[in-house]
Amino acid sequence: MKIDLTKMVTESRNSASAEIDTLSTVDMLKVINQEDQKVALAVEAVLPEIARAVDAIADAFMQGGRLIYSGAGTSGRLGILDASECPPTFGSKPEQVVGLIAGGHKAILKAVENAEDNRDMGAGDLQALDFSSKDVLVGIAASGRTPYVLGAMEYAKSVGATVACISCNPDSPMSQSSDIAITPVVGPEVVTGSSRLKAGTAQKLILNMLTTGAMIRTGKVYGNLMVDVEATNAKLVERQKNIVMAATDCSREQAIDALNACNGHCKTAIVMLLAGVDANQAASLLDENQGFTRKAISSK
């Protein structure tokens, strides 16, 4: 199958870096840095589409659905990275956000030859997860044409799920196949075709927004505090104490006592202190208010 790369913005040559191999190290890095500064502006231009995706993901979460990422190479690894950070940051279940990569687990560390060209594998990996209409799929590929991702998107559409995509080339096959097309046009890369650079950075920024935004929308954040953080190491145990103190303006001793009373559940400790209730009452208030801290406090 012949692939025409000439029409892809991400594959075009960048005039700003045409002589980069002749520059001093500092000047070389200045070129890279100047190009990287364009990425945030490209992401800013697609904030309305990102917002639509965040709302769709949050709605799915509230209905017991999941967010599934599908990608290959750098894009797949970025999806897996974002998914893996959700449980420790937001206390979410590991199965709520899942990253799939063409070639499976071994492709996380080493490229698997021809895996991204397998359209059927993209659909099969979703089927193995019992993907359904309650879930949201986000396909990730800088090119916007990766067969593995297109196969996953096609399957997701066939079961009635919401399908979004992140690509960096306008009017790509993925954009045309999605309900929500997120297309930050970052321009040509410093090293021609190396889409792990600006395109990868744009994808990472957007993935950050998708999960953080959806977790905020589903009550995982109070103010700007990640009140569902899981204390899985010494640093996070200390962070929990600081979060309770920041949220309630209590003393360190009061924060420790509250956390001990509710088995280290940060959100419950905050409701206890701000609503003036015990651990069981705080847990009940949170349950009655779908886990939203602010609503639980005000409902007392």
Side-chain angles (χ1 to χ4, degrees):
M1 178 180 64
K2 183 179 179 181
I3 303 171
D4 185 2
L5 300 181
T6 62
K7 296 180 180 178
M8 296 184 188
V9 176
T10 53
E11 296 290 335
S12 57
R13 292 197 67 183
N14 191 329
S15 60
S17 59
E19 305 295 331
I20 197 168
D21 62 325
T22 69
L23 301 178
S24 70
T25 302
V26 169
D27 287 339
M28 172 186 71
L29 298 179
K30 284 180 179 178
V31 171
I32 296 173
N33 180 248
Q34 287 164 2
E35 288 297 305
D36 284 344
Q37 291 176 38
K38 300 175 183 179
V39 175
L41 296 176
V43 172
E44 181 183 28
V46 295
L47 286 177
E49 290 79 14
I50 299 172
R52 287 179 59 204
V54 167
D55 288 340
I57 295 164
D59 287 345
F61 285 172
M62 295 301 285
Q63 302 300 320
R66 301 168 294 175
L67 166 60
I68 310 297
Y69 292 134
S70 174
T74 296
S75 299
R77 295 181 190 102
L78 288 170
I80 289 169
L81 173 63
D82 191 63
S84 68
E85 293 289 354
C86 288
T89 303
F90 299 110
S92 59
K93 295 180 180 179
E95 62 270 18
Q96 187 175 41
V97 183
V98 177
L100 297 175
I101 185 171
H105 189 268
K106 60 183 178 181
I108 298 172
L109 298 178
K110 185 177 181 180
V112 176
E113 188 174 358
N114 297 323
E116 74 170 53
D117 296 325
N118 193 327
R119 196 178 186 110
D120 291 338
M121 186 188 296
D125 285 350
L126 285 187
Q127 291 172 325
L129 289 178
D130 293 323
F131 186 88
S132 75
S133 60
K134 294 196 307 181
D135 302 320
V136 174
L137 177 73
V138 176
I140 319 168
S143 68
R145 54 144 307 273
T146 304
Y148 172 84
V149 180
L150 284 167
M153 292 173 64
E154 183 179 79
Y155 179 78
K157 294 272 285 189
S158 75
V159 300
T162 298
V163 177
C165 74
I166 306 170
S167 63
C168 296
N169 286 291
D171 303 317
S172 68
M174 281 172 50
S175 296
Q176 295 166 14
S177 300
S178 63
D179 300 307
I180 306 168
I182 304 170
T183 312
V185 182
V186 297
E189 298 286 3
V190 167
V191 176
T192 303
S194 183
S195 56
R196 72 183 185 89
L197 299 174
K198 290 194 294 183
T201 301
Q203 290 171 343
K204 180 65 170 72
L205 291 174
I206 292 167
L207 295 174
N208 287 348
M209 290 181 179
L210 292 182
T211 45
T212 303
M215 294 298 178
I216 291 171
R217 284 281 166 262
T218 53
K220 295 288 188 177
V221 173
Y222 174 61
N224 63 353
L225 302 171
M226 49 186 200
V227 291
D228 264 330
V229 61
E230 289 190 346
T232 55
N233 57 45
K235 178 187 73 175
L236 295 179
V237 169
E238 192 63 27
R239 181 176 292 168
Q240 276 197 331
K241 297 169 188 173
N242 289 337
I243 287 173
V244 173
M245 292 164 63
T248 66
D249 200 27
C250 71
S251 68
R252 180 178 174 82
E253 291 71 25
Q254 287 173 309
I256 292 171
D257 288 345
L259 285 165
N260 287 338
C262 60
N263 297 316
H265 192 253
C266 198
K267 186 186 288 185
T268 304
I270 291 169
V271 175
M272 286 175 61
L273 291 167
L274 291 182
V277 296
D278 63 27
N280 289 333
Q281 289 172 312
S284 295
L285 287 173
L286 283 166
D287 285 341
E288 292 165 9
N289 290 278
Q290 296 77 48
F292 285 86
T293 306
R294 199 176 299 276
K295 290 181 180 178
I297 296 165
S298 62
S299 69
K300 174 64 173 63

